[in-house]
Amino acid sequence: MRKALSLFTLMAVLFLAACGSENNNNGAANEEEVEDEIWAEIQESGELVVGTAGTLFPASYYPADSDELTGYNVEVFREIADRLGVDIKFEEMAFDAMLSALQSGRVDMIQAGPREDSREKFAFSEPVKYSYSTMIVRSDDLSGIETLEDLKGKKAGGAATTVYSEIARAFGAEVVTYGNVTNDAYLRDVHNGRTDLVINDYYLQSLALTAITEFDITLHPDLKFHPTTNNVVTKKEATVLMEKVNEIIAEMKEDGTLTEISEEFFGGQDVSKEPEGEIIEVEGIE
């Protein structure tokens, strides 16, 4: 009897183990099904929905007297959609709303730089843009700034909550904030001494100086800091879509398409390649 009972117990254990194995396999299958679902829906609809700003030159904007959205980010997205074999639809929104729109499924992808908290929730492609921060200073004396530590006691023009103002404050600068003003207001104040510097993205600053030439200001020749990237972002579970996007980005780098798009919007500069030279990491700043 005890032998029969032991046999029954062993059979029961094996049965439960088999059930557990079957449940685990179903879980893996379900997970794979979810991972394929996003790409399957895009294929079925024939349309890729992308979140973009529509107001940020030269990334995503409307040229003067035109109702055609363009910019580096926009044209990169168009090329990705074309190589995926689907149409593209742009949803214009503030940058702060993009991640929540992606999370909710309102859009299929956006472009953004990875941060520690967002890496846990979203998938990021290989970079489509590399950059770093620099500063505009007065030409005659570089506003008395030789190192980042020299920012202490200086006045930095900027918005209240940007990473650039965060960097300025981290080194002891006073941030002079502005309302919704055009770029020339920031640059004029460095020129006339109301402020000492403006920290921002290197490529955007260089474009600004090319467009606005009447002020005695320059890019700091020695200070390159806070390296950044811009990446295509999808939901974490969109593994099939992200795999295809990474393959396309590699192709676009190999065949020169990213370089061509970059040179069109960044004054002949290639943002698809990592900048040369040492770029200072700013501790505590993402």
Side-chain angles (χ1 to χ4, degrees), residues 7 9 16 28 35 57 70 98 107 112 138 145 164 166 213 220 267 272 284:
L7 183 59
T9 303
L16 290 174
E35 290 171 349
F57 175 83
T70 191
M98 288 186 190
V107 301
R138 285 183 288 279
I145 299 168
Y164 307 114
E166 191 178 345
T213 60
H220 199 291
S272 72

Short mmCIF file of all heavy atoms in Angstrom, two decimals, residues 7 9 16 28 35 57 70 98 107 112 138 145 164 166 213 220 267 272 284:
data_model
loop_
_atom_site.label_atom_id
_atom_site.label_comp_id
_atom_site.label_asym_id
_atom_site.label_seq_id
_atom_site.Cartn_x
_atom_site.Cartn_y
_atom_site.Cartn_z
N LEU A 7 4.03 5.66 -5.40
CA LEU A 7 3.91 5.74 -6.85
C LEU A 7 2.91 6.80 -7.26
O LEU A 7 3.13 7.58 -8.18
CB LEU A 7 3.51 4.37 -7.41
CG LEU A 7 3.41 4.26 -8.93
CD1 LEU A 7 4.74 4.62 -9.58
CD2 LEU A 7 2.96 2.87 -9.32
N THR A 9 2.05 9.40 -5.47
CA THR A 9 2.62 10.71 -5.15
C THR A 9 3.58 11.15 -6.24
O THR A 9 3.58 12.30 -6.68
CB THR A 9 3.35 10.65 -3.80
OG1 THR A 9 2.44 10.21 -2.82
CG2 THR A 9 3.90 12.02 -3.41
N LEU A 16 2.14 17.69 -11.92
CA LEU A 16 2.20 19.12 -11.59
C LEU A 16 3.39 19.79 -12.27
O LEU A 16 3.30 20.92 -12.75
CB LEU A 16 2.31 19.29 -10.07
CG LEU A 16 1.04 18.93 -9.28
CD1 LEU A 16 1.32 18.98 -7.79
CD2 LEU A 16 -0.10 19.87 -9.65
N ALA A 28 5.95 32.02 -22.12
CA ALA A 28 6.95 32.45 -23.10
C ALA A 28 6.30 32.73 -24.44
O ALA A 28 6.62 33.71 -25.12
CB ALA A 28 8.03 31.38 -23.24
N GLU A 35 5.30 40.63 -27.90
CA GLU A 35 6.43 41.30 -28.54
C GLU A 35 6.18 41.49 -30.03
O GLU A 35 6.63 42.47 -30.61
CB GLU A 35 7.69 40.47 -28.32
CG GLU A 35 8.19 40.50 -26.87
CD GLU A 35 9.31 39.52 -26.63
OE1 GLU A 35 9.57 38.69 -27.51
OE2 GLU A 35 9.91 39.58 -25.55
N PHE A 57 13.72 73.72 -34.50
CA PHE A 57 14.69 73.78 -35.59
C PHE A 57 16.04 73.32 -35.05
O PHE A 57 16.45 73.72 -33.96
CB PHE A 57 14.79 75.22 -36.11
CG PHE A 57 15.85 75.41 -37.16
CD1 PHE A 57 15.58 75.12 -38.48
CD2 PHE A 57 17.12 75.85 -36.81
CE1 PHE A 57 16.55 75.29 -39.46
CE2 PHE A 57 18.09 76.02 -37.77
CZ PHE A 57 17.81 75.74 -39.09
N THR A 70 9.33 69.14 -41.61
CA THR A 70 10.64 68.61 -42.00
C THR A 70 11.59 68.72 -40.82
O THR A 70 11.18 69.03 -39.70
CB THR A 70 11.19 69.33 -43.24
OG1 THR A 70 12.34 68.61 -43.73
CG2 THR A 70 11.56 70.77 -42.94
N MET A 98 5.73 63.13 -24.93
CA MET A 98 6.05 62.07 -25.89
C MET A 98 6.15 60.69 -25.24
O MET A 98 5.63 59.71 -25.78
CB MET A 98 7.34 62.41 -26.63
CG MET A 98 7.18 63.54 -27.62
SD MET A 98 8.69 63.78 -28.59
CE MET A 98 8.28 65.32 -29.41
N VAL A 107 1.36 56.64 -29.99
CA VAL A 107 2.36 56.65 -31.05
C VAL A 107 3.20 55.38 -30.94
O VAL A 107 3.26 54.74 -29.89
CB VAL A 107 3.27 57.90 -30.99
CG1 VAL A 107 2.44 59.17 -31.11
CG2 VAL A 107 4.09 57.93 -29.70
N ALA A 112 14.49 60.41 -28.63
CA ALA A 112 14.88 61.01 -27.35
C ALA A 112 16.22 60.43 -26.94
O ALA A 112 16.68 59.43 -27.49
CB ALA A 112 13.83 60.75 -26.28
N ARG A 138 31.77 85.67 -24.68
CA ARG A 138 32.27 86.84 -25.41
C ARG A 138 33.60 86.52 -26.09
O ARG A 138 34.44 85.81 -25.53
CB ARG A 138 32.41 88.03 -24.45
CG ARG A 138 31.07 88.65 -24.07
CD ARG A 138 31.24 89.88 -23.18
NE ARG A 138 31.68 89.51 -21.84
CZ ARG A 138 30.86 89.07 -20.88
NH1 ARG A 138 29.56 88.93 -21.13
NH2 ARG A 138 31.32 88.78 -19.68
N ILE A 145 36.26 82.67 -18.73
CA ILE A 145 36.03 81.25 -18.43
C ILE A 145 37.07 80.40 -19.16
O ILE A 145 37.14 80.41 -20.39
CB ILE A 145 34.61 80.83 -18.86
CG1 ILE A 145 33.56 81.63 -18.11
CG2 ILE A 145 34.39 79.34 -18.65
CD1 ILE A 145 32.16 81.49 -18.66
N TYR A 164 20.82 72.18 -19.32
CA TYR A 164 21.89 73.16 -19.49
C TYR A 164 21.95 74.11 -18.30
O TYR A 164 23.03 74.45 -17.81
CB TYR A 164 21.69 73.93 -20.79
CG TYR A 164 21.54 73.02 -21.98
CD1 TYR A 164 20.34 72.95 -22.69
CD2 TYR A 164 22.58 72.20 -22.38
CE1 TYR A 164 20.20 72.10 -23.77
CE2 TYR A 164 22.45 71.34 -23.46
CZ TYR A 164 21.25 71.29 -24.15
OH TYR A 164 21.11 70.44 -25.21
N GLU A 166 20.84 73.26 -15.38
CA GLU A 166 21.26 72.39 -14.29
C GLU A 166 22.79 72.30 -14.23
O GLU A 166 23.38 72.33 -13.15
CB GLU A 166 20.66 70.99 -14.50
CG GLU A 166 20.78 70.06 -13.33
CD GLU A 166 20.11 68.72 -13.59
OE1 GLU A 166 19.31 68.62 -14.55
OE2 GLU A 166 20.40 67.77 -12.84
N THR A 213 25.13 87.09 -36.76
CA THR A 213 26.56 87.42 -36.85
C THR A 213 26.91 88.80 -36.30
O THR A 213 28.09 89.18 -36.31
CB THR A 213 27.01 87.36 -38.31
OG1 THR A 213 26.23 88.29 -39.09
CG2 THR A 213 26.81 85.96 -38.88
N HIS A 220 32.96 78.58 -27.09
CA HIS A 220 34.18 78.39 -26.32
C HIS A 220 35.04 77.36 -27.05
O HIS A 220 34.58 76.26 -27.37
CB HIS A 220 33.87 77.91 -24.91
CG HIS A 220 35.00 78.12 -23.97
ND1 HIS A 220 36.18 77.41 -24.04
CD2 HIS A 220 35.16 78.99 -22.93
CE1 HIS A 220 37.01 77.82 -23.11
NE2 HIS A 220 36.42 78.78 -22.41
N GLY A 267 24.09 72.34 -41.37
CA GLY A 267 25.11 73.16 -41.99
C GLY A 267 26.33 72.40 -42.47
O GLY A 267 27.46 72.86 -42.33
N SER A 272 25.68 62.13 -37.19
CA SER A 272 25.50 60.68 -37.05
C SER A 272 26.78 59.98 -36.61
O SER A 272 26.76 58.77 -36.37
CB SER A 272 25.01 60.07 -38.37
OG SER A 272 26.04 60.05 -39.34
N GLY A 284 26.84 63.68 -11.90
CA GLY A 284 25.54 63.98 -11.31
C GLY A 284 24.52 64.52 -12.29
O GLY A 284 23.37 64.77 -11.92
#
